[in-house]
Amino acid sequence: MTAEDEWRLLLALVSREFGLVFQDARRGHLESRLTPRLQALGLESFGAYHRYLARHPQRGAELSMLARILPNNETYFFREAHHFDLLVQHVVPQLSMPSRCGPLRVLCAGCSTGDEAYSIVIALQRAGLERAGLPWQIDACDLNPECIAQANQGLYEVGSLRACDEPERAAHFCAQGDRFRLRSEHRKGTSFFEANLAVAGLELPGAPYQVIFCRNVLIYFCEEAFHRALSHFHRALDQSGYLFLGHSESLIGRRSDFQPVRLGDSIVYRKRGAGS
Ligand SMILES: C[S@@+](CC[C@H](N)C(=O)[O-])C[C@H]1O[C@@H](n2cnc3c(N)ncnc32)[C@H](O)[C@@H]1O
Protein backbone atom coordinates (compact mmCIF):
# COMPACT_ATOMS: atom_id res chain seq x y z
CA MET A 1 0.00 0.00 0.00
CA THR A 2 1.37 3.45 -0.88
CA ALA A 3 1.64 6.35 1.57
CA GLU A 4 -1.15 8.03 -0.40
CA ASP A 5 -3.44 4.98 0.09
CA GLU A 6 -2.71 5.07 3.84
CA TRP A 7 -3.49 8.78 4.00
CA ARG A 8 -6.85 8.15 2.24
CA LEU A 9 -7.68 5.41 4.77
CA LEU A 10 -7.00 7.85 7.60
CA LEU A 11 -9.24 10.49 6.00
CA ALA A 12 -12.01 7.90 5.60
CA LEU A 13 -11.75 6.94 9.28
CA VAL A 14 -11.93 10.60 10.38
CA SER A 15 -14.98 11.08 8.22
CA ARG A 16 -16.65 7.89 9.53
CA GLU A 17 -16.01 8.78 13.19
CA PHE A 18 -16.71 12.52 13.17
CA GLY A 19 -18.41 13.26 9.85
CA LEU A 20 -15.60 15.70 9.02
CA VAL A 21 -14.23 15.96 5.52
CA PHE A 22 -10.88 17.57 4.70
CA GLN A 23 -10.43 18.72 1.10
CA ASP A 24 -7.01 18.38 -0.52
CA ALA A 25 -6.45 22.13 -0.03
CA ARG A 26 -6.50 21.61 3.74
CA ARG A 27 -4.16 18.64 3.73
CA GLY A 28 -1.20 20.65 5.06
CA HIS A 29 -3.34 22.00 7.87
CA LEU A 30 -4.52 18.51 8.82
CA GLU A 31 -1.03 17.03 8.64
CA SER A 32 0.30 19.73 10.95
CA ARG A 33 -2.39 18.91 13.51
CA LEU A 34 -1.82 15.15 13.33
CA THR A 35 1.99 15.09 13.30
CA PRO A 36 2.32 15.86 17.05
CA ARG A 37 -0.02 12.94 17.74
CA LEU A 38 2.17 10.55 15.73
CA GLN A 39 5.18 11.82 17.65
CA ALA A 40 3.44 11.45 21.03
CA LEU A 41 2.55 7.83 20.22
CA GLY A 42 5.96 7.02 18.68
CA LEU A 43 4.43 6.18 15.29
CA GLU A 44 6.33 6.65 12.05
CA SER A 45 3.66 7.07 9.41
CA PHE A 46 0.04 8.06 8.87
CA GLY A 47 -0.56 4.41 7.96
CA ALA A 48 0.62 3.34 11.42
CA TYR A 49 -1.57 6.05 12.96
CA HIS A 50 -4.56 4.77 10.99
CA ARG A 51 -3.95 1.23 12.26
CA TYR A 52 -3.70 2.58 15.84
CA LEU A 53 -7.04 4.41 15.49
CA ALA A 54 -8.67 1.37 13.91
CA ARG A 55 -7.48 -1.39 16.26
CA HIS A 56 -5.47 -0.31 19.28
CA PRO A 57 -7.03 -0.98 22.74
CA GLN A 58 -6.47 2.74 23.55
CA ARG A 59 -8.16 3.91 20.34
CA GLY A 60 -11.06 5.48 22.29
CA ALA A 61 -8.71 7.84 24.12
CA GLU A 62 -6.98 8.79 20.88
CA LEU A 63 -10.31 9.46 19.11
CA SER A 64 -11.27 11.69 22.01
CA MET A 65 -7.98 13.54 21.47
CA LEU A 66 -8.87 13.99 17.79
CA ALA A 67 -12.27 15.45 18.75
CA ARG A 68 -10.27 18.19 20.49
CA ILE A 69 -7.80 18.97 17.72
CA LEU A 70 -9.60 18.37 14.42
CA PRO A 71 -12.70 20.61 14.36
CA ASN A 72 -12.70 24.27 13.49
CA ASN A 73 -14.15 25.81 16.67
CA GLU A 74 -14.39 29.38 15.34
CA THR A 75 -17.34 31.23 16.89
CA TYR A 76 -18.25 34.55 18.51
CA PHE A 77 -21.15 36.29 20.20
CA PHE A 78 -23.86 37.53 17.81
CA ARG A 79 -22.35 35.88 14.74
CA GLU A 80 -24.87 36.26 11.87
CA ALA A 81 -26.81 38.54 14.19
CA HIS A 82 -29.91 38.75 11.97
CA HIS A 83 -30.81 35.19 13.09
CA PHE A 84 -31.25 36.35 16.69
CA ASP A 85 -33.50 39.18 15.48
CA LEU A 86 -35.58 36.70 13.46
CA LEU A 87 -35.83 34.43 16.47
CA VAL A 88 -37.30 37.10 18.73
CA GLN A 89 -39.31 39.04 16.13
CA HIS A 90 -40.87 36.22 14.08
CA VAL A 91 -40.36 32.83 15.68
CA VAL A 92 -40.90 33.37 19.40
CA PRO A 93 -44.18 35.29 18.97
CA GLN A 94 -45.58 32.34 16.98
CA LEU A 95 -44.34 29.73 19.40
CA SER A 96 -45.12 31.53 22.64
CA MET A 97 -48.88 31.38 22.30
CA PRO A 98 -50.63 31.12 25.68
CA SER A 99 -51.72 27.58 24.80
CA ARG A 100 -48.10 26.37 24.68
CA CYS A 101 -47.02 24.61 27.86
CA GLY A 102 -43.53 24.52 29.32
CA PRO A 103 -40.42 26.48 28.38
CA LEU A 104 -39.35 27.47 24.89
CA ARG A 105 -36.98 24.63 23.98
CA VAL A 106 -33.95 25.42 21.81
CA LEU A 107 -31.08 23.19 20.68
CA CYS A 108 -27.71 24.62 19.62
CA ALA A 109 -25.98 21.80 17.76
CA GLY A 110 -22.24 22.34 17.29
CA CYS A 111 -22.24 25.15 19.84
CA SER A 112 -18.43 25.37 20.20
CA THR A 113 -17.62 27.45 23.32
CA GLY A 114 -21.21 28.53 23.94
CA ASP A 115 -21.14 32.00 22.36
CA GLU A 116 -24.14 31.16 20.16
CA ALA A 117 -26.25 29.67 22.96
CA TYR A 118 -25.55 32.62 25.24
CA SER A 119 -26.32 35.06 22.40
CA ILE A 120 -29.76 33.44 22.24
CA VAL A 121 -30.24 33.95 25.99
CA ILE A 122 -29.27 37.62 25.70
CA ALA A 123 -31.59 38.08 22.70
CA LEU A 124 -34.51 36.49 24.59
CA GLN A 125 -33.79 38.64 27.65
CA ARG A 126 -33.62 41.82 25.55
CA ALA A 127 -36.95 40.84 23.98
CA GLY A 128 -38.52 40.76 27.44
CA LEU A 129 -39.32 37.05 27.77
CA GLU A 130 -38.47 37.07 31.47
CA ARG A 131 -40.77 40.03 32.13
CA ALA A 132 -43.51 38.22 30.21
CA GLY A 133 -43.01 35.13 32.39
CA LEU A 134 -41.92 32.97 29.42
CA PRO A 135 -39.14 30.57 30.42
CA TRP A 136 -36.66 28.88 28.04
CA GLN A 137 -34.38 25.87 28.02
CA ILE A 138 -31.38 25.98 25.70
CA ASP A 139 -29.55 22.68 25.26
CA ALA A 140 -26.20 23.08 23.53
CA CYS A 141 -23.88 20.31 22.38
CA ASP A 142 -20.52 19.90 20.71
CA LEU A 143 -18.07 17.17 19.79
CA ASN A 144 -15.15 18.92 21.47
CA PRO A 145 -15.11 18.40 25.27
CA GLU A 146 -12.76 21.37 25.75
CA CYS A 147 -15.33 23.65 24.10
CA ILE A 148 -18.04 22.32 26.41
CA ALA A 149 -15.81 22.94 29.43
CA GLN A 150 -15.19 26.53 28.32
CA ALA A 151 -18.90 27.07 27.67
CA ASN A 152 -19.60 25.97 31.23
CA GLN A 153 -16.95 28.40 32.52
CA GLY A 154 -18.34 31.31 30.50
CA LEU A 155 -14.90 32.91 30.18
CA TYR A 156 -13.95 34.42 26.80
CA GLU A 157 -11.05 35.94 24.87
CA VAL A 158 -11.63 39.36 23.33
CA GLY A 159 -12.12 37.78 19.87
CA SER A 160 -15.39 36.25 21.04
CA LEU A 161 -16.73 39.78 21.64
CA ARG A 162 -15.74 41.15 18.22
CA ALA A 163 -19.37 41.83 17.22
CA CYS A 164 -20.28 43.48 20.54
CA ASP A 165 -19.90 47.23 20.87
CA GLU A 166 -18.62 48.85 24.08
CA PRO A 167 -22.04 49.25 25.79
CA GLU A 168 -22.87 45.59 25.01
CA ARG A 169 -19.55 44.43 26.45
CA ALA A 170 -20.17 46.39 29.62
CA ALA A 171 -23.76 45.17 29.90
CA HIS A 172 -23.09 41.45 29.40
CA PHE A 173 -19.50 40.77 30.56
CA CYS A 174 -17.12 41.53 33.44
CA ALA A 175 -13.44 42.01 32.59
CA GLN A 176 -11.27 39.36 34.25
CA GLY A 177 -7.58 40.00 33.50
CA ASP A 178 -7.39 40.11 29.70
CA ARG A 179 -10.51 37.95 29.34
CA PHE A 180 -14.23 38.52 29.78
CA ARG A 181 -16.61 36.61 32.00
CA LEU A 182 -20.23 36.40 30.91
CA ARG A 183 -22.54 37.77 33.61
CA SER A 184 -24.27 34.95 35.42
CA GLU A 185 -27.79 36.10 34.55
CA HIS A 186 -27.09 35.30 30.87
CA ARG A 187 -26.39 31.66 31.68
CA LYS A 188 -29.95 31.16 32.83
CA GLY A 189 -31.74 28.16 31.28
CA THR A 190 -28.68 26.75 29.50
CA SER A 191 -27.26 23.24 29.58
CA PHE A 192 -24.15 22.04 27.71
CA PHE A 193 -23.21 18.47 26.82
CA GLU A 194 -20.91 16.51 24.52
CA ALA A 195 -22.50 14.86 21.48
CA ASN A 196 -21.33 13.61 18.11
CA LEU A 197 -23.84 14.58 15.42
CA ALA A 198 -22.27 12.10 12.99
CA VAL A 199 -23.29 8.96 14.87
CA ALA A 200 -26.41 7.00 14.02
CA GLY A 201 -29.38 7.07 16.40
CA LEU A 202 -28.24 10.09 18.45
CA GLU A 203 -30.77 10.84 21.21
CA LEU A 204 -31.12 14.52 22.04
CA PRO A 205 -32.21 14.75 25.66
CA GLY A 206 -34.54 17.75 25.51
CA ALA A 207 -36.47 16.84 22.35
CA PRO A 208 -38.89 17.92 21.04
CA TYR A 209 -37.32 21.34 20.42
CA GLN A 210 -39.20 24.30 18.99
CA VAL A 211 -36.01 25.77 17.53
CA ILE A 212 -32.74 24.20 16.41
CA PHE A 213 -29.64 26.24 15.56
CA CYS A 214 -26.91 24.36 13.69
CA ARG A 215 -24.78 26.99 12.04
CA ASN A 216 -21.35 26.63 10.44
CA VAL A 217 -21.18 22.94 11.31
CA LEU A 218 -22.66 21.00 8.36
CA ILE A 219 -20.34 22.84 5.98
CA TYR A 220 -17.50 20.64 7.31
CA PHE A 221 -19.47 17.38 7.02
CA CYS A 222 -19.28 14.63 4.41
CA GLU A 223 -22.53 13.83 2.58
CA GLU A 224 -23.42 10.90 4.86
CA ALA A 225 -22.92 12.85 8.10
CA PHE A 226 -24.78 15.83 6.64
CA HIS A 227 -27.89 13.69 6.06
CA ARG A 228 -27.49 11.90 9.38
CA ALA A 229 -27.41 15.20 11.28
CA LEU A 230 -30.48 16.42 9.40
CA SER A 231 -32.31 13.22 10.31
CA HIS A 232 -31.45 13.80 14.02
CA PHE A 233 -32.86 17.32 13.70
CA HIS A 234 -35.97 16.09 11.91
CA ARG A 235 -36.68 13.63 14.72
CA ALA A 236 -35.89 16.18 17.45
CA LEU A 237 -37.78 19.18 16.02
CA ASP A 238 -41.38 19.89 16.93
CA GLN A 239 -43.74 19.72 13.94
CA SER A 240 -44.19 23.51 14.06
CA GLY A 241 -40.52 24.22 14.83
CA TYR A 242 -37.76 26.09 12.99
CA LEU A 243 -34.25 25.05 11.91
CA PHE A 244 -31.59 27.76 11.51
CA LEU A 245 -28.50 26.92 9.40
CA GLY A 246 -25.46 29.07 8.58
CA HIS A 247 -25.53 31.27 5.48
CA SER A 248 -23.33 28.88 3.48
CA GLU A 249 -25.32 25.76 4.37
CA SER A 250 -28.41 26.11 2.20
CA LEU A 251 -30.65 23.07 1.80
CA ILE A 252 -32.14 24.52 -1.39
CA GLY A 253 -31.54 22.06 -4.20
CA ARG A 254 -30.49 19.30 -1.77
CA ARG A 255 -32.54 16.26 -0.80
CA SER A 256 -33.99 16.72 2.71
CA ASP A 257 -37.20 16.50 4.73
CA PHE A 258 -37.07 20.24 5.42
CA GLN A 259 -38.58 23.02 3.36
CA PRO A 260 -37.07 26.51 3.07
CA VAL A 261 -39.21 29.34 4.42
CA ARG A 262 -38.50 33.05 3.98
CA LEU A 263 -38.50 35.01 7.25
CA GLY A 264 -37.65 38.69 6.78
CA ASP A 265 -34.63 38.72 4.46
CA SER A 266 -33.48 35.25 5.46
CA ILE A 267 -34.20 31.63 4.73
CA VAL A 268 -34.87 29.23 7.60
CA TYR A 269 -36.25 25.69 7.48
CA ARG A 270 -39.35 23.90 8.66
CA LYS A 271 -40.43 20.29 8.42
CA ARG A 272 -42.23 19.49 5.20
CA GLY A 273 -45.95 19.79 5.80
CA ALA A 274 -45.51 22.29 8.65
CA GLY A 275 -46.94 25.14 6.55
CA SER A 276 -45.04 28.21 5.36
C1 LIG B 1 -17.19 26.58 13.26
S1 LIG B 1 -17.86 26.02 14.80
C2 LIG B 1 -19.46 26.80 14.75
C3 LIG B 1 -19.92 27.22 16.12
C4 LIG B 1 -21.26 27.97 16.15
N1 LIG B 1 -22.34 27.11 15.74
C5 LIG B 1 -21.22 29.21 15.31
O1 LIG B 1 -21.84 29.24 14.25
O2 LIG B 1 -20.55 30.17 15.71
C6 LIG B 1 -18.24 24.31 14.42
C7 LIG B 1 -18.44 23.47 15.65
O3 LIG B 1 -18.98 22.21 15.26
C8 LIG B 1 -18.42 21.22 16.10
N2 LIG B 1 -18.50 19.89 15.45
C9 LIG B 1 -17.77 19.43 14.41
N3 LIG B 1 -18.09 18.16 14.15
C10 LIG B 1 -19.05 17.81 15.04
C11 LIG B 1 -19.76 16.62 15.28
N4 LIG B 1 -19.54 15.51 14.55
N5 LIG B 1 -20.67 16.60 16.28
C12 LIG B 1 -20.89 17.70 17.04
N6 LIG B 1 -20.22 18.87 16.86
C13 LIG B 1 -19.31 18.92 15.86
C14 LIG B 1 -16.99 21.66 16.28
O4 LIG B 1 -16.39 21.07 17.42
C15 LIG B 1 -17.14 23.18 16.38
O5 LIG B 1 -17.20 23.61 17.70
Side-chain angles (χ1 to χ4, degrees):
M1 193 178 289
T2 66
E4 191 58 25
D5 292 337
E6 293 183 327
W7 176 253
R8 297 276 153 212
L9 281 177
L10 181 55
L11 287 185
L13 184 145
V14 163
S15 160
R16 231 175 17 253
E17 293 289 340
F18 306 117
L20 297 172
V21 66
F22 290 86
Q23 308 296 353
D24 285 344
R26 296 186 68 219
R27 179 170 178 158
H29 165 84
L30 183 57
E31 283 184 357
S32 68
R33 290 200 170 191
L34 294 179
T35 300
R37 293 309 311 151
L38 268 67
Q39 287 165 352
L41 297 168
L43 301 172
E44 282 172 4
S45 68
F46 288 114
Y49 188 54
H50 168 258
R51 286 188 289 283
Y52 187 101
L53 287 170
R55 295 195 279 274
H56 195 277
Q58 302 298 323
R59 67 183 290 275
E62 189 56 22
L63 286 169
S64 166
M65 189 62 79
L66 284 186
R68 293 167 162 79
I69 62 174
L70 289 186
N72 173 356
N73 299 123
E74 165 77 1
T75 188
Y76 52 92
F77 281 81
F78 292 103
R79 182 181 196 176
E80 296 185 53
H82 59 285
H83 278 166
F84 305 102
D85 298 336
L86 287 181
L87 178 69
V88 298
Q89 288 165 15
H90 295 275
V91 175
V92 171
Q94 286 181 40
L95 298 174
S96 308
M97 305 304 282
S99 58
R100 200 177 56 73
C101 308
L104 172 71
R105 303 196 70 85
V106 181
L107 173 72
C108 270
C111 65
S112 188
T113 47
D115 314 36
E116 181 179 72
Y118 291 135
S119 300
I120 294 175
V121 173
I122 294 171
L124 296 177
Q125 288 174 325
R126 283 181 188 161
L129 259 72
E130 272 166 330
R131 286 192 301 279
L134 293 169
W136 59 81
Q137 174 59 41
I138 298 170
D139 291 346
C141 64
D142 201 277
L143 178 67
N144 185 338
E146 285 176 1
C147 285
I148 295 299
Q150 194 189 332
N152 278 319
Q153 273 189 325
L155 194 56
Y156 294 95
E157 306 286 335
V158 67
S160 269
L161 280 60
R162 74 190 78 159
C164 299
D165 60 21
E166 222 22 76
E168 285 172 328
R169 288 186 188 194
H172 307 309
F173 299 88
C174 303
Q176 193 168 316
D178 56 0
R179 294 197 282 175
F180 296 84
R181 185 173 291 284
L182 183 73
R183 294 186 188 277
S184 58
E185 64 263 31
H186 301 313
R187 302 174 64 170
K188 188 171 178 179
T190 56
S191 165
F192 293 92
F193 57 96
E194 285 174 49
N196 183 353
L197 296 169
V199 301
L202 177 69
E203 291 298 331
L204 291 159
Y209 295 100
Q210 278 100 31
V211 179
I212 297 180
F213 273 60
C214 183
R215 306 183 313 159
N216 308 301
V217 178
L218 300 182
I219 192 173
Y220 300 106
F221 276 13
C222 64
E223 196 66 11
E224 191 180 345
F226 178 92
H227 288 291
R228 194 168 272 172
L230 285 180
S231 79
H232 300 324
F233 301 153
H234 196 268
R235 261 185 294 122
L237 190 65
D238 195 82
Q239 184 58 26
S240 59
Y242 288 83
L243 171 66
F244 287 73
L245 300 178
H247 70 274
S248 40
E249 298 166 312
S250 171
L251 298 184
I252 296 172
R254 300 190 73 159
R255 177 177 55 81
S256 93
D257 293 327
F258 290 95
Q259 58 182 354
V261 175
R262 180 166 285 283
L263 271 193
D265 288 338
S266 298
I267 298 291
V268 299
Y269 299 90
R270 304 192 76 187
K271 286 185 173 186
R272 291 200 185 281
S276 54

